[in-house]
Structures are given as structure tokens and as C-alpha cells.
Amino acid sequence: SQINANLQTWESTLITVQAATASGSTTYSGSNTLTDASGSLTLYTRSQASFASTALPSGPKTFTGVLSEYSFATIPAQLSIRSTADVQ
């Protein structure tokens, strides 16, 4: 995917992923997977986040968040949203 290919350049910047579907857990807490037409990346939310227990949305959504690298993951790119307002 374009994000994984540009991870070093875009790391620590605010990015938007359009038409992505979240899967994994039933809530935002922890590591989930975002998948769009170009590939996948991890959607990561700390368990202490105020919205961590909020249910993941169903269907394709637009996710805006800060891109970071998690070097021990199978999918190294991870996106962290700031609040559920970052999901449209």
C-alpha cells in the first residue's frame, strides 16, 4: 500500500485513509486492522483513551490519524486516531 511504502516519510504526520473497513476487536481498544483497496495497516488505540471502549464502526469509513511505525508488527504501519470525530 502507499502508506507502507511511504512510512518513513509520513511517520508522525496526520494522514487520512478513505473507504477503509475496521476489523479485529469489537471496540477501538488495542490493535485492529484497517483495510482499503490498496492494503492494510494497524489501527491502534491505547486502552486508556477515552473512546477505547467505543464500538468499531461497520462498513467503509474515512479515518484520520497520526501515522507511526510499530517495528515488531507484521504490518509495520499503524494509525492512531485522536477521537471518534476522526472517523467519518
Side-chain angles (χ1 to χ4, degrees):
S1 85
Q2 189 178 12
I3 291 171
N4 286 316
N6 292 289
L7 180 56
Q8 297 299 315
T9 303
W10 296 347
E11 187 173 8
S12 299
T13 63
L14 197 64
I15 66 162
T16 298
V17 180
Q18 298 178 334
T21 303
S23 62
S25 176
T26 57
T27 66
Y28 282 99
S29 185
S31 294
N32 290 288
T33 302
L34 281 184
T35 305
D36 68 3
S38 67
S40 299
L41 76 152
T42 299
L43 174 65
Y44 179 73
T45 303
R46 293 183 56 173
S47 59
Q48 297 86 355
S50 61
F51 59 92
S53 62
T54 302
L56 282 177
S58 60
K61 303 288 181 194
T62 297
F63 292 80
T64 299
V66 178
L67 184 66
S68 62
E69 182 176 12
Y70 184 65
S71 60
F72 299 109
T74 306
I75 304 170
Q78 89 181 9
L79 185 73
S80 294
I81 63 171
R82 300 163 295 175
S83 73
T84 55
D86 285 340
V87 181
Q88 302 292 315

